[in-house]
Amino acid sequence: MAYDNEKGDIDVVHDSGSGKASPTAIGSHPDEFGFTEKEQRAIVHRVDRRLVVTVGALYCVSLMDRTNLSAANIAGMKEELLLIDNRYVSFAPSMRFSPILPFYIDSTLQENPTQTRDVSIVTLVFFITYIICQPPSTIIIRKLGPRIHLSAITLLWGACMIGMGFVKKWEELVALRLVLGILEAGFFPSCVYLLSTWYTRFEVGKRYSVFYILGCVASAFAGILAYGLMQMDGLGDQTGWRWIFIIEGVLTCVLAVGAYWLLVDFPDSTRLSWNFIGQRQRDWIVARVQQDRGDSRVTEFSWAKFFKAGLDIKIWGYAMIFFGTTTVSYALAYFMPIILRYNMGFSIAESQCLVAPPYVFAGVIMYTTGWAGDKWHIRGPIIIFNMVLCIIGMAIMGFHPNSNVRYFGVFLCTAGANSNIPATMSYQANNIRGQWKRAFCSATLVGFGGIGGIAGSLVFRDQDAPYYKPGLYACIACALLNILIVCALTATFKVQNKKADDGTHKLEDHDNDMDHDARFRYTY
């Protein structure tokens, strides 16, 4: 059943199995549906509450499950599973993690800042399957639907987390980490893709920001929850670190079951959605997206069509921007406590506490820039603004003599890098047409973000302490590269938009059987 927002009654939406919108919806103008402006806002807000909030909640548990490895390590897992040498490299006692992608971080504040770091097998095996399995995820979600796909992989990775609580050997933990990478690979790109199909080009900025901010709430509670679960040590003859995996895995499974009912399908799909908007409202959503960018119709899938999107250099430009952004974001998240301690001279307690305020500031900048981009129909300038914040912040961190001023630079870097995550997602969503091309772009974007996360863990080296100049230069280089890519794309977009205005060029005409829409223009 689906809730009809206009009538206030219950509409039965039958599953035709086609998963496609009606021709009437695609061929109609949004104004033809007769909704008042107030009713239109009510429909969009209902989608916000069901879609953005639900995927944001799933992102919360996703981040918690990705970051509990280090908490379990300091709760006794290292000794019990004999995680010695490069099996798992520990930087206890403190724990920090990046809120951007599947990366968990142990950051040391020991009195020896030059402790050698080796390759951590348990940590890095996750990335192998996570990066490789990105592309198929956006194909599967189209075939199965978000309710089945996202809730199923969440349920399975919750079960995987529970299994980690019962491993007896470190090799078993490695195997489960590989499986976890396969399952989590389907989550983030699928959410990015799903959100882009429900909103017009100048609505996605705020929605991506809210989705990301909701997910980052996990950063405030994951450590606290893990510490509380450690206190269950001995209960049921299980050690405390095992209860971290077991309880958080159970919570994930419970939310996955709830997500099956709360998640909604693609707007063009006729699959059943529980207690949601009626078919007329869905058709209006499809019509307005079609009016905005002309790619609501889903063509038949083929591998040739899917991978043909890779011939468009713009997609790799977006991916490189995301790579540069996540490199900086992850580097900051990984090393911020160390930099505060050894570069700026704060005490251990101060270094731990001073990590949080920059991320709060980043949340404010993130939503503000998302709102501004939607309001003024801009994307590239937002990315450039964020990267300029990073460059200024890095320069202050690296060269100002006063530690308090250098800490102000941390605010600018953190805000610029993290705000650029949803900004880049909005940038690519605005300038891609065709459902399968959109699916391919979402997968490559997040995949390159994963590679950027690995790079970010390497830029600040122990031998560069306490000033870490090479790491700062690397982050500045990433920000400058992003600015150059945006400038190059902007120049290209202007030329192609002018040709489209003159009627000599078709924009994004990549699907041979996709209806061409002369109204579409690239967003700078």
Side-chain angles (χ1 to χ4, degrees), residues 235-247:
L235 183 64
D237 294 327
Q238 300 293 336
T239 48
W241 69 268
R242 295 184 182 275
W243 283 113
I244 294 175
F245 288 127
I246 294 169
I247 298 300

Side-chain angles (χ1 to χ4, degrees), residues 259-487:
Y260 176 77
W261 302 102
L262 293 175
L263 282 168
V264 299
D265 213 301
F266 293 97
D268 56 275
S269 173
T270 57
R271 298 187 189 97
L272 185 67
S273 290
W274 175 76
N275 197 31
F276 193 43
I277 58 176
Q279 189 61 49
R280 184 166 170 240
Q281 286 83 0
R282 295 172 72 100
D283 286 346
W284 174 77
I285 292 285
V286 171
R288 68 198 294 266
V289 171
Q290 180 70 16
Q291 178 74 14
D292 178 64
R293 61 175 188 256
D295 68 349
S296 290
R297 185 163 69 87
V298 183
T299 59
E300 292 297 323
F301 173 78
S302 72
W303 286 107
K305 183 181 298 182
F306 182 74
F307 285 111
K308 182 181 178 182
L311 299 176
D312 189 343
I313 194 171
K314 295 193 305 297
I315 286 183
W316 305 107
Y318 307 141
M320 283 302 301
I321 293 173
F322 209 61
F323 165 82
T325 298
T326 56
T327 297
V328 179
S329 298
Y330 187 59
L332 286 172
Y334 197 114
F335 292 99
M336 191 186 300
I338 299 174
I339 292 174
L340 291 174
R341 173 68 174 130
Y342 296 109
N343 179 272
M344 302 183 187
F346 292 106
S347 68
I348 292 178
E350 289 172 336
S351 299
Q352 294 286 37
C353 295
L354 291 176
V355 168
Y359 282 98
V360 175
F361 179 66
V364 175
I365 297 298
M366 192 183 304
Y367 185 81
T368 302
T369 53
W371 173 85
D374 286 351
K375 181 176 177 62
W376 289 302
H377 295 188
I378 55 174
R379 298 300 180 206
I382 299 295
I383 294 177
I384 292 175
F385 170 77
N386 290 332
M387 293 296 92
V388 169
L389 281 183
C390 280
I391 293 171
I392 295 174
M394 287 290 175
I396 294 174
M397 284 174 57
F399 301 103
H400 201 281
N402 186 286
S403 61
N404 293 320
V405 177
R406 292 205 299 276
Y407 179 57
F408 170 71
V410 174
F411 276 76
L412 299 183
C413 291
T414 305
N418 284 275
S419 298
N420 221 44
I421 302 289
T424 305
M425 295 190 310
S426 301
Y427 190 49
Q428 61 90 21
N430 274 201
N431 294 306
I432 292 294
R433 288 184 71 237
Q435 291 290 335
W436 296 118
K437 186 175 184 180
R438 187 174 298 279
F440 181 87
C441 189
S442 296
T444 55
L445 189 83
V446 180
F448 268 63
I451 298 172
I454 297 174
S457 68
L458 303 175
V459 295
F460 289 107
R461 304 176 302 175
D462 292 326
Q463 61 264 39
D464 299 326
Y467 300 107
Y468 300 103
K469 294 294 178 66
L472 294 173
Y473 296 148
C475 291
I476 290 174
C478 286
L480 288 172
L481 177 62
N482 283 353
I483 292 174
L484 289 175
I485 294 174
V486 170
C487 290

